[in-house]
Amino acid sequence: MVRILTRSDVRSLISMGEVIDAVQKAHEDLALGRADQPERHAARTPGTDAHLIPMTAALADGQAGGVKLLADVPANPARELPRQQSTIVLVNPENGVCEAFLDGGAITQYRTAAASAVATRCLARPDAHVLGLIGAGAQARSHLAAIAQVRPIDRVLVWSRTEASARAFRDAVADSGLNIELAGSPEQVVRGSDVLCTLTPAATPVVSGHWFGEGLHVNAVGAPPRRDHREIDSEGIARARVVVDSLDTALAESGAVSIALEEGAITVDHVRDELGEVLTGAKPGRRDDAQITLFNSVGVPIQDIATARILVDRARDKGIGIEISLPE
């Protein structure tokens, strides 16, 4: 039987703390060769500007394998739909039987923030307590929840292109007990933060590396997987010690990395360190309190499949979701 989990099912089952631990374990296993994640290739859809991106991964010890199909559709916001849509298929790798179909929206929101939290845990200063958010949507809320689990956050600076969005974010997290401040510009957020998360679908930079202060840690998250989109300029990439979620993915799909390379601001060696290598000790973490660090997050399927495994197991225990038989 194949279990189908809707977005509301996923939200009722998911726990940020569990996802953070699962994402960290998945990256460690990947770095140690226990898990697999082949290079992915986007398919353009003729007649539109949409890209379809199949993302495949297999967890360690035969726990699960699967595919996340990501659709990046720039025209969707005008239709009042999210720019990115996704569905996850979970498969038993021992016999090839399909276990589940899951809506990818909530999983993406949680696992993206969880990856930023894992990177923050191993790269940010231990005493970092001011969180900066550029962008005030769903990812801002999930990043606040995730980063607060790994650092003693007590103050949050947030900026959005519209003040209404920033105010809506502040209202949504009013019960967090944190000091939430609306900033007048991205520069104000960057200069005032210990940990910065960029969470916008920007095509051109909204953050200048000139603003980076000593000891800052940046999670560059929001730009879609396209080589001509970036939130952070080449100076920012060049000034920071960069860690990527996947070198192959960053070189193929990260505009921040690709454009900095094309402009000659960096070489490939500058972005060669992967998150899993830092977690396992194969590559160093933060060097000292003054170092600027940056996690370039494009998003990788090992995170999705690790999260989906937790959700499907819990859904079975709780009897949540719909079961169907595909062969019938």
Side-chain angles (χ1 to χ4, degrees):
M1 300 295 288
V2 180
R3 189 170 297 269
I4 299 175
L5 298 180
T6 66
R7 186 167 301 181
S8 60
D9 291 334
V10 169
R11 291 194 183 281
S12 73
L13 294 164
I14 204 162
S15 161
M16 182 62 80
E18 283 187 316
V19 178
I20 290 172
D21 291 342
V23 165
Q24 177 162 333
K25 179 67 162 54
H27 276 277
E28 291 170 349
D29 287 340
L30 195 62
L32 294 170
R34 298 172 181 163
D36 191 33
Q37 179 178 266
E39 186 177 353
R40 68 201 196 203
H41 299 280
R44 293 180 293 104
T45 58
T48 78
D49 57 357
H51 284 182
L52 299 180
I53 308 170
M55 304 161 59
T56 306
L59 303 181
D61 303 319
Q63 298 173 66
V67 179
K68 174 182 180 179
L69 179 59
L70 171 67
D72 181 58
V73 188
N76 266 3
R79 304 179 179 119
E80 298 186 351
L81 292 171
R83 171 168 175 156
Q84 295 187 347
Q85 307 267 14
S86 60
T87 304
I88 297 169
V89 180
L90 197 70
V91 173
N92 182 327
E94 293 185 0
N95 56 26
V97 171
C98 180
E99 292 191 56
F101 292 108
L102 303 91
D103 175 81
I107 291 175
T108 300
Q109 181 182 341
Y110 272 70
R111 65 81 155 147
T112 302
S116 294
V118 172
T120 299
R121 184 152 58 187
C122 63
L123 293 172
R125 298 193 326 268
D127 63 347
H129 66 98
V130 182
L131 175 63
L133 302 171
I134 294 182
Q139 279 293 353
R141 296 191 295 274
S142 59
H143 272 73
L144 173 56
I147 304 301
Q149 294 205 23
V150 299
R151 285 297 181 269
I153 301 300
D154 57 18
R155 181 175 174 229
V156 181
L157 302 175
V158 60
W159 176 87
S160 176
R161 292 185 188 278
T162 66
E163 186 176 339
S165 295
R167 290 186 180 278
F169 167 81
R170 185 177 63 184
D171 293 344
V173 300
D175 61 353
S176 66
L178 302 176
N179 180 16
I180 311 294
E181 300 178 24
L182 306 189
S185 68
E187 181 176 359
Q188 183 182 347
V189 175
V190 175
R191 292 191 183 278
S193 299
D194 298 324
V195 176
L196 172 70
C197 300
T198 62
L199 308 166
T200 73
T204 57
V206 292
V207 170
S208 169
H210 178 68
W211 305 334
F212 289 178
E214 287 189 353
L216 177 67
H217 172 67
V218 181
N219 297 304
V221 176
R226 297 192 179 218
R227 292 170 61 92
D228 58 350
H229 285 57
R230 59 176 178 166
E231 298 177 283
I232 297 172
D233 67 6
S234 295
E235 181 179 356
I237 298 297
R239 289 192 64 201
R241 183 278 174 96
V242 176
V243 174
V244 299
D245 48 14
S246 161
L247 177 59
D248 289 340
T249 303
L251 293 176
E253 299 180 15
S254 169
V257 169
S258 299
I259 296 171
L261 286 167
E262 291 166 4
E263 292 179 351
I266 61 170
T267 66
V268 172
D269 284 343
H270 190 74
V271 296
R272 197 172 290 281
D273 294 352
E274 294 187 340
L275 179 58
E277 295 175 313
V278 176
L279 292 169
T280 59
K283 297 289 179 66
R286 167 173 287 274
R287 184 182 64 233
D288 53 49
D289 284 349
Q291 185 180 39
I292 299 167
T293 56
L294 186 148
F295 174 53
N296 186 75
S297 175
V298 182
V300 289
I302 200 76
Q303 303 163 353
D304 298 291
I305 302 306
T307 304
R309 176 74 280 165
I310 294 172
L311 295 172
V312 172
D313 289 345
R314 179 160 297 154
R316 284 179 179 153
D317 290 342
K318 293 180 173 291
I320 292 175
I322 300 169
E323 285 192 330
I324 62 172
S325 178
L326 289 181
E328 290 185 357

